Amino acid sequence: MIRPLMHPAVQLALWLLACVLLVAGAVAPMFTFTTFWIFDDTLSLLGGIQRLWQAGEWGLFLVVAGFSLLLPAGKLLLLYRLIGGTVAPAREARYRRWLSQTGKWSMLEVFVVAWLVVMLQFGGTARITVHYGLYLFAAGVVAGMLLTQLLEAGPRGKA
C-alpha cells in the first residue's frame, strides 16, 4: 500500500487557500501610481487587465491575462482533479508533467510586475506604492506552487 505524502484534506485545504489568495489578490488594490506628486491612480490586477483591453494593447493584454489569470486557473483546475482522484490513470502522468512544466512559469507575473515597479521608480516622474493585493496574489501563486511540488514529490498511486 502506497501512502500519500499529505492527507487529502490538507491537500484540499491548501488548494482552497491558493484559490482564495489568487482571487483576492486579483481584485484587491495592487498599486497606486502617483505622477507629478498630485495624480493618484490605484489599480488591481483585473483593473490593469481591463485597461489594457480598453487601450487596445492586445499583445500585453494576452500576455498578462494569460499568465496571471488563465494559467493559474487551468493549473488549479488540474490540481483539483488530481487531488480529488477524478483523473484516469492514463492521464494522470500527462497532467503531472504539464503541471511540472508550467510551474516554471508560475512566478512570471509577479516578476514582471516587480520589474515594472522598479523601472517606473527610476523614471523619477512617478512613484509607486505597493498594496496588499500584490502580496495576496504572490502568496496564492506560491501556495499553488507548493501544492504542485508536494504532489510531484509524493508517491504515485492510491493509498
Side-chain angles (χ1 to χ4, degrees), residues 45-127:
L45 178 61
L46 288 178
I49 290 171
Q50 180 182 8
R51 286 209 182 158
L52 290 172
W53 174 268
Q54 291 170 343
E57 295 287 345
W58 311 117
L60 285 174
F61 168 80
L62 289 173
V63 168
V64 174
F67 280 105
S68 62
L69 296 179
L70 297 178
L71 185 66
K75 185 176 178 178
L76 287 172
L77 179 63
L78 284 182
L79 283 170
Y80 182 76
R81 292 198 61 205
L82 285 171
I83 290 169
T86 61
V87 177
R91 290 189 175 174
E92 184 175 347
R94 184 172 23 152
Y95 286 176
R96 287 178 183 269
R97 200 168 33 257
W98 187 84
L99 286 170
S100 175
Q101 292 170 350
T102 59
K104 299 170 185 133
W105 297 93
S106 293
M107 289 298 284
L108 179 66
E109 175 62 24
V110 177
F111 288 128
V112 167
V113 170
W115 179 78
L116 175 67
V117 169
V118 169
M119 295 310 291
L120 288 175
Q121 291 285 22
F122 286 122
T125 61
R127 186 174 58 99

